Amino acid sequence: MDEMELLGKTKVKVKDERVVETGEPLIRWCPLFDKVRGIKEITSEAAAANMEFRMREHGMFTPKRKLEMEVFVGFGASEVMMTATSRGLIEAAVTVCDGAGTVITDNPSLIQGMGGWISGLVETDPIPEVLAGIENRGGIVLDPKTAKIDQVEGARLAAERYSKFAVTVADADTAEELRRLEREENVQILIVGVHLTGIGEEDAERLIAAADIVTSCASKFIREKVRPLVQVGTA
């Protein structure tokens, strides 16, 4: 079973390349998806349709997964990590991909290809064709047998090969654990907070304190509490 949160953090479950369950969204409108997909109101049906679109057009959760793509939004997390890697600001990124789980790679094109269409990946099953495609492009899958998502373990593996890399996180606990790992392994970790719609006030404060970059999404508390050095991107 695969599960991803998208469009207002709506939980959508996929099995055998079909949407089998859809939850309720936390918000009713997103300026980004209104702009790029014309979605005027976020509903369970809209979330299911958007997941089906991603599966059909980009092969998400299928053996036909596309692992290279153009820039979706110039200020997205995958675009930032892709650019930082290609320009030598970081050496690699620890991110996630449907059909593979946590992935470490220094290939900028793969960083964007995996992350450009992912929202909040909760869990995924391994897909042999996706695993092979990632490995052929220089990616390292943390656990090919289970496709588990574990950003701290991914960072620990990355620290064996790189001294300066990015890691995506969606919660404060993981961000704080990465800071401890950073000190233990004597590496530099660029922590990127993603998929933060609905985050609580205390967790927002902790994540802001630990992360280097946060995407505010539709989080009231991130917007209220962040004191950015630089803000980029509006929809």
Side-chain angles (χ1 to χ4, degrees):
M1 181 78 73
D2 299 287
E3 181 177 339
M4 190 167 77
E5 297 175 340
L6 69 160
L7 275 186
K9 220 167 185 178
T10 308
K11 293 181 183 293
V12 179
K13 294 184 179 181
V14 174
K15 186 175 182 180
D16 298 328
E17 301 181 28
R18 293 176 54 251
V19 172
V20 296
E21 185 178 329
T22 309
E24 291 295 323
L26 296 184
I27 60 173
R28 290 298 177 185
W29 182 71
C30 170
L32 177 61
F33 277 91
D34 186 351
K35 185 174 183 178
V36 301
R37 295 293 303 160
I39 298 173
K40 300 300 182 183
E41 181 182 5
I42 297 175
T43 62
S44 295
E45 293 77 15
N50 188 256
M51 177 68 91
E52 290 168 349
F53 165 79
R54 299 186 200 201
M55 293 166 63
R56 182 175 63 253
E57 297 297 322
H58 302 281
M60 291 189 71
F61 302 108
T62 79
K64 298 179 181 179
R65 177 63 151 91
K66 295 179 181 178
L67 293 170
E68 297 178 13
M69 68 171 286
E70 299 297 322
V71 170
F72 179 51
V73 288
F75 51 86
S78 59
E79 286 84 358
V80 169
M81 294 187 296
M82 172 188 68
T83 302
T85 305
S86 63
R87 297 191 178 183
L89 299 175
I90 57 175
E91 298 169 339
V94 180
T95 184
V96 299
C97 184
D98 48 289
T102 293
V103 178
I104 303 99
T105 184
D106 57 15
N107 180 342
S109 178
L110 181 59
I111 292 170
Q112 173 63 7
M114 291 188 298
W117 280 99
I118 284 181
S119 296
L121 188 63
V122 178
E123 63 177 319
T124 189
D125 291 327
I127 299 175
E129 293 85 352
V130 177
L131 297 172
I134 289 171
E135 291 170 359
N136 289 341
R137 291 169 174 81
I140 301 169
V141 178
L142 176 64
D143 191 337
K145 291 183 179 179
T146 66
K148 74 175 179 179
I149 297 171
D150 189 326
Q151 297 304 85
V152 174
E153 286 305 307
R156 196 178 302 278
L157 181 58
E160 297 177 4
R161 296 164 170 79
Y162 306 104
S163 61
K164 186 166 53 176
F165 52 89
V167 184
T168 54
V169 303
D171 63 272
D173 287 343
T174 302
E176 291 171 348
E177 196 166 349
L178 285 170
R179 285 293 175 231
R180 290 190 288 270
L181 177 66
E182 183 180 52
R183 293 190 293 270
E184 292 170 6
E185 299 293 338
N186 192 29
V187 294
Q188 290 180 278
I189 301 178
L190 177 73
I191 299 177
V192 184
V194 297
H195 194 56
L196 301 179
T197 294
I199 189 172
E201 183 173 6
E202 181 183 348
D203 283 348
E205 290 177 344
R206 291 169 55 208
L207 183 59
I208 289 169
D212 299 289
I213 298 172
V214 292
T215 55
S216 60
C217 301
S219 170
K220 169 186 175 182
F221 296 123
I222 293 289
R223 292 173 186 271
E224 286 180 349
K225 296 178 180 299
V226 73
R227 296 293 181 268
L229 298 175
V230 177
Q231 178 177 338
V232 295
T234 61

